[in-house]
């Protein structure tokens, strides 16, 4: 007997002409090599659910914040608004950010 395929195909539309976050994502997708896109989409979806596991509002709030000018400090401010005590424990430490391996130079 064949084992049932339990994989899920996820499909949705982005509207870059009407939404800044969608435009940013479309631009990033266009800059990503074709062979890396599926892995990127899957990682982004799973990262959103990891955030949702902590607080169901986070993916929605970050999605609304996202645009070409979104800064690390803005993301931190949002996280502090949702998790004030937890974020205070981090202090003012900033992670070193490595460039994307396929980023245009």
């Amino acid at each position: 007997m064949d084992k049932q395929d339990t994989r899920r195909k996820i499909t949705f539309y982005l509207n870059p002409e009407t939404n800044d976050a969608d435009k940013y994502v479309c631009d990033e997708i266009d800059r990503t090599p074709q062979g890396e896109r599926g892995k990127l989409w899957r990682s982004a979806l799973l990262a959103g659910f990891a955030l949702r596991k902590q607080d169901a509002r986070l993916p929605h709030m970050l999605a609304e914040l996202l645009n070409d000018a979104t800064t690390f400090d803005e993301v931190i401010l949002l996280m502090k608004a949702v998790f004030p005590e937890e974020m205070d424990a981090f202090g003012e430490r900033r992670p070193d950010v490595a460039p994307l391996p396929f980023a245009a130079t």
Side-chain angles (χ1 to χ4, degrees), residues 27-95:
D27 291 345
E28 286 297 312
I29 289 168
D30 290 343
R31 284 190 281 272
T32 302
Q34 187 75 33
E36 296 290 320
R37 292 178 185 180
K39 185 177 179 180
L40 173 62
W41 295 333
R42 181 178 182 276
S43 296
L45 179 66
L46 294 177
F49 273 89
L51 290 167
R52 185 179 190 278
K53 185 176 179 183
Q54 305 313 307
D55 188 301
R57 300 171 295 171
L58 279 177
H60 303 286
M61 295 169 79
L62 288 166
E64 288 299 317
L65 177 67
L66 182 62
N67 63 48
D68 194 45
T70 304
T71 66
F72 181 77
D73 289 333
E74 290 171 327
V75 173
I76 294 301
L77 283 173
L78 188 142
M79 297 295 287
K80 284 182 178 181
V82 176
F83 302 113
E85 295 170 9
E86 294 86 344
M87 293 301 294
D88 281 345
F90 285 114
E92 295 299 318
R93 293 176 291 173
R94 286 183 74 119

